[in-house]
Amino acid sequence: MERIETDVVIVGAGAAGLTAATELVTAGREVVVLEARDRVGGRLWTGDVDGAMLEIGGQWVSPDQDALIETLDELGLETYDRYREGQNVYIAEDGERRLFEGEIFPVPAKTEGEIVGLIEKLDALVAEIDPDAPWTHPRAKELDEISFAHWLETQTDDVEARLNIGMFIAGAMLTKPTHAFSALQALLMAASAGSFSHLVDADFILDKRVVGGLQQVPLLLAERLGDRVRLGQPVRTVRWQEDAPAGAAAVVAVTDELEVHARELVLAVPPVLVDRISYEPPLPRRQHQLHQHLSMGFVIKVHAVYETPFWREQGLSGTAFSPYELSHEAYDNTNHGDTRGTLVGFVSDEAADEVFRLSAEERKERILESLSHYYGEQAKHPVVYYESDWGSEEWTRGAYAASFDMGGLARYGADLRTPVGPIRFACSDMAGKGYQHVDGAIRMGRLVASQIVEELA
Ligand code: FDA
């Protein structure tokens, strides 16, 4: 067993952990980053699949994400616009394919009025929510005790309006069914992006991509950190003490090969994985409880690459939605400068469960059938096809991120980031602004680093 001594040990080399490490090194601290996988990036992973560059994990950047944008600038990374010229597609309940422009789907006038009304109501409520402390809203408990499905039912009896508004938060963001999370959790999701209107506006929320892939952020950060980052080192045990003498090691992170003794430890892992580690002594009661009330969402990100972006010739932007389709949303995801065309589609929560019961061949057929409803028969014949399956990833266990069960946010939210002795927590899944996004991971990495710098000073 190799023994290492350092100021701060960081568990997890995702965007949060690597940002924290970078900030601490800049402040003159010694750090060691222990990463379970044999690569850095966590939920950022730009892969080569059969000769196609695919963003297997996170990829889009929106204009409000200033922590991420600053990091991209610092690292000299360039961005480009998501392709969006032309008409979008909406598929109605009876399967009719309708083309449209703008944000509001081509639905009957009454439904459109209900959708616009719901967006206004949600925007007004979201404006009252502090994304860093949604539990302080005067009606937080009440809003956390009703499901988002139920809240929508109390607002309108128009089912199509409810399905569409539900889709923006459920299928598209928390990747859980609307009955599985609270109205407060839905408001946090929207508040973290500035407003509910931002979530509805694909041109805002899915604005830009990074030339060469978003995994370059963790790759470049790790390159600068050099041999401070140790791969293939799942942390199994954390030994800690509350009152270590000043300057002494208060915490030890143990992997199968290393023992890292440090004054502070950052758990930069999804909160659902905190319990994978053994703690000596055990974590306090509050942590034992609260981590049981969080769970990962679940979505399949589907990549289909074609010889050409054939939909553009039909005047289509590639942007497509339908709450009635297996793939509830899809986009043109062609890489910068690529002559081939790529579509990306998403199959969320219960629909994902359903297709994972099928064989791989049947699943592919069902998903491509759904894409063909938006783009025509050609969509059934990609030259490269790939499904990002984060549910099978031992060190992630779902996608995109973790959220609380009913009532959990009001009850436990305030303690999610509370340190335990020398142990601190940082992850996109506990961010306010940028919650569940890379921007939030960077914010949490910065926050925890600044707290440690102050603590160790
Ligand atoms: P992350 O999970 O990335 O990192 C945690 C790290 O800890 C991992 O590397 C893991 O291996 C490691 N680890 C866990 N347990 C360990 C242990 N015991 N010992 C050592 N290491 C351990 N965001 C966005 O901004 N735009 C987007 O378009 C998307 N799209 C998107 C698509 C898909 C399919 C996914 C899965 C996710 C997104 N996201 C996204 C979300 C975004 O990718 C995510 O919020 C951040 O990358 C999370 O970064 P963190 O560092 O917080 O956690």
Side-chain angles (χ1 to χ4, degrees):
M1 184 74 71
E2 185 186 343
R3 183 191 160 103
I4 302 173
E5 292 191 6
T6 188
D7 291 328
V8 185
V9 57
I10 294 171
V11 184
L18 292 170
T19 299
T22 303
E23 301 275 315
L24 287 163
V25 168
T26 306
R29 291 295 168 186
E30 286 296 318
V31 304
V32 171
V33 183
L34 298 173
E35 168 54 49
R37 290 176 161 104
D38 59 5
R39 61 168 182 83
V40 299
R43 282 170 274 172
L44 295 179
W45 186 8
T46 308
D48 183 308
V49 177
D50 299 333
M53 189 198 96
L54 302 179
E55 289 283 38
I56 295 167
Q59 62 170 68
W60 281 298
V61 183
S62 63
D64 59 325
Q65 296 178 331
D66 22 88
L68 171 57
I69 293 168
E70 276 166 27
T71 303
L72 295 175
D73 287 346
E74 270 167 36
L75 295 172
L77 292 170
E78 281 175 38
T79 58
Y80 62 103
D81 288 342
R82 178 176 58 83
Y83 184 84
R84 63 191 72 166
E85 307 305 314
Q87 292 191 294
N88 308 327
V89 183
Y90 177 79
I91 295 178
E93 188 177 10
D94 62 4
E96 188 193 330
R97 180 174 174 269
R98 300 179 190 156
L99 302 183
F100 73 105
E101 278 166 18
E103 289 138 39
I104 303 296
F105 300 154
V107 288
K110 178 183 166 291
T111 302
E112 182 175 329
E114 292 294 320
I115 289 179
V116 171
L118 281 169
I119 293 173
E120 282 169 6
K121 268 188 199 162
L122 283 163
D123 274 342
L125 269 173
V126 168
E128 296 171 2
I129 297 279
D130 172 358
D132 278 302
W135 44 86
T136 58
H137 187 276
R139 290 174 53 213
K141 195 165 181 303
E142 175 199 331
L143 290 165
D144 210 28
E145 284 170 2
I146 54 165
S147 70
F148 192 46
H150 181 71
W151 185 85
L152 287 167
E153 278 164 21
T154 61
Q155 304 299 313
T156 175
D157 56 9
D158 188 310
V159 176
E160 192 166 15
R162 292 205 301 255
L163 285 174
N164 276 312
I165 291 296
M167 180 175 73
F168 287 114
I169 298 255
M173 286 286 155
L174 296 172
T175 58
K176 292 178 174 180
T178 47
H179 63 255
F181 58 86
S182 73
L184 186 67
Q185 182 73 59
L187 296 177
L188 163 60
M189 189 70 244
S192 73
S195 68
F196 186 80
S197 290
H198 282 163
L199 297 188
V200 177
D201 182 359
D203 289 349
F204 181 89
I205 203 82
L206 312 178
D207 183 28
K208 292 197 189 301
R209 291 183 54 196
V210 170
V211 177
L214 192 49
Q215 197 194 356
Q216 285 173 99
V217 167
L219 286 169
L220 291 172
L221 291 176
E223 195 178 295
R224 289 182 181 177
L225 290 164
D227 59 13
R228 297 180 183 93
V229 181
R230 307 287 293 253
L231 299 180
Q233 300 296 333
V235 171
R236 311 282 186 200
T237 304
V238 168
R239 299 200 294 266
W240 61 284
Q241 60 187 91
E242 189 82 55
D243 304 311
V251 63
V252 186
V254 185
T255 73
D256 298 336
E257 296 162 7
L258 305 174
E259 236 184 40
V260 185
H261 296 244
R263 292 168 67 188
E264 299 265 345
L265 177 141
V266 178
L267 277 181
V269 306
V272 295
L273 294 183
V274 169
D275 285 350
R276 281 269 345 240
I277 298 170
S278 299
Y279 300 87
E280 296 171 12
L283 291 180
R285 175 193 310 108
R286 191 72 177 159
Q287 272 65 32
H288 280 170
Q289 278 284 300
L290 83 81
H291 290 120
Q292 294 183 56
H293 291 270
L294 286 151
S295 58
M296 282 304 229
F298 186 40
V299 64
I300 313 172
K301 183 176 184 182
V302 179
H303 314 257
V305 183
Y306 304 86
E307 290 297 357
T308 61
F310 63 87
W311 53 93
R312 295 184 186 174
E313 290 149 29
Q314 302 165 24
L316 297 180
S317 64
T319 304
F321 298 99
S322 174
Y324 307 106
E325 278 296 325
L326 180 61
S327 176
H328 65 268
E329 60 183 319
Y331 304 92
D332 184 320
N333 209 29
T334 303
N335 292 327
H336 182 68
D338 203 345
T339 55
R340 297 205 286 188
T342 303
L343 291 173
V344 65
F346 296 89
V347 179
S348 201
D349 56 80
E350 288 170 331
D353 296 342
E354 190 194 322
V355 291
F356 269 124
R357 289 193 194 100
L358 306 174
S359 70
E361 254 330 289
E362 283 174 309
R363 187 166 58 249
K364 176 178 174 184
E365 203 176 302
R366 285 275 308 278
I367 293 172
L368 289 175
E369 171 73 38
S370 178
L371 291 183
S372 78
H373 298 164
Y374 295 121
Y375 309 104
E377 280 295 299
Q378 268 177 287
K380 288 186 181 169
H381 307 290
V383 290
V384 177
Y385 175 85
Y386 183 76
E387 294 162 4
S388 300
D389 171 18
W390 289 87
S392 303
E393 290 278 323
E394 184 181 5
W395 301 107
T396 305
R397 303 189 168 199
Y400 309 107
S403 48
F404 275 106
D405 59 12
M406 295 290 301
L409 182 56
R411 189 173 169 194
Y412 299 109
D415 286 322
L416 195 50
R417 298 186 207 158
T418 308
V420 174
I423 303 171
R424 287 167 199 273
F425 305 88
C427 177
S428 68
D429 308 16
M430 48 190 76
K433 206 169 171 225
Y435 170 55
Q436 299 216 349
H437 286 79
V438 184
D439 182 68
I442 292 171
R443 285 173 199 279
M444 291 301 98
R446 287 178 178 178
L447 178 68
V448 94
S450 68
Q451 291 166 345
I452 292 173
V453 168
E454 206 174 298
E455 180 74 24
L456 294 186

